[in-house]
Amino acid sequence: MEVTINADTLITLAQLLTALGVIGGVVLWCFKFVQRSKRQHEELKAIRREQTLICYGLLACLQGLKEQGCNGPVTEAMNRLEEHLNQAAHDEES
């Protein structure tokens, strides 16, 4: 059995390796893209939880000010914040 390697065989082999490399690169890029997207989704979820806690703390401070007799802007801010929190809670459910 005699194996001969000529220029056409080398060119075909190079084309095959290039095609496999490109396909592998695209698959790797897609995998990394999905992983990055999942990580960003988790980070955004944590940021939303933190912002919700901050809003509840701010609402508690405003309620304390209102109990001490501060009205006007405090009441308006409380109403807007409560409306926002209610709207955000309904948006999360759907």
Side-chain angles (χ1 to χ4, degrees):
M1 180 173 162
E2 186 177 317
V3 176
T4 57
I5 299 176
N6 57 20
D8 290 334
T9 306
L10 290 176
I11 291 172
T12 304
L13 182 61
Q15 289 173 343
L16 178 64
L17 289 175
T18 302
L20 291 175
V22 169
I23 292 170
V26 169
V27 169
L28 183 63
W29 178 85
C30 289
F31 177 76
K32 285 184 177 184
F33 181 80
V34 169
Q35 292 299 319
R36 182 176 54 234
S37 178
K38 286 181 182 179
R39 187 177 63 246
Q40 286 175 346
H41 179 70
E42 292 300 319
E43 289 173 0
L44 287 174
K45 201 170 166 184
I47 289 170
R48 280 190 220 109
R49 281 193 303 264
E50 182 180 1
Q51 286 179 338
T52 301
L53 288 174
I54 291 170
C55 285
Y56 282 123
L58 179 60
L59 184 58
C61 292
L62 289 171
Q63 287 174 341
L65 285 171
K66 187 174 181 180
E67 288 174 4
Q68 292 180 3
C70 298
N71 286 325
V74 171
T75 305
E76 183 183 340
M78 275 183 54
N79 291 337
R80 284 187 173 186
L81 188 55
E82 286 174 341
E83 182 181 326
H84 169 73
L85 289 173
N86 285 335
Q87 184 65 38
H90 289 293
D91 288 343
E92 278 186 14
E93 289 175 359
S94 51

